[in-house]
Amino acid sequence: MSTGSPGFISLQKAINMTTRYRENMNAVIDPVYGSRGVLCICDTFDKAAVATLVNKPECAAIRLYYGMNEDLQLRPILVAVNSNNEDILPVSSTLGNDAVSDDIVDDSLKCPPFCPPASPLNP
């Protein structure tokens, strides 16, 4: 599935991007939603959860979807992707509607309120 580059960027580019996001995050959404904390600075994922996705036998990449929880806050959703660019998802016929499997990750620590110590990406 590789596009020629593994997708790494420089620290300076990451600083520029995260700064631009923080400066504009509330301006990119309708003011009705801005006061609800729809967007966040960052999300921190548990290493074991991400490793579970990465270690799936057919995993060639990780895909980030954006969803919205019941409080209308933007939430990242991670899934493994195979070499055909297809999501690796549980077979819905074998699971109930609310059954949890190890195929979809959303349980991250959202900042705010769970913010990391200051760094060049979030001074």
Side-chain angles (χ1 to χ4, degrees), residues 111-123:
C111 168
F114 303 104
C115 295
S119 80
L121 299 180
N122 187 29

Side-chain angles (χ1 to χ4, degrees), residues 52-115:
T52 297
L53 294 180
V54 170
N55 290 328
K56 290 194 173 289
E58 297 180 16
C59 181
I62 297 295
R63 178 165 291 132
L64 172 66
Y65 282 99
Y66 297 99
M68 195 170 265
N69 67 14
E70 295 82 9
D71 295 326
L72 301 180
Q73 296 173 327
L74 188 69
R75 300 300 300 144
I77 299 167
L78 302 178
V79 297
V81 177
N82 66 23
S83 60
N84 293 322
N85 200 29
E86 300 164 328
D87 296 337
I88 300 173
L89 299 172
V91 179
S92 59
S93 63
T94 62
L95 298 173
N97 286 344
D98 289 330
V100 175
S101 70
D102 65 356
D103 296 299
I104 304 170
V105 177
D106 169 46
D107 193 18
S108 64
L109 294 177
K110 178 182 174 181
C111 168
F114 303 104
C115 295

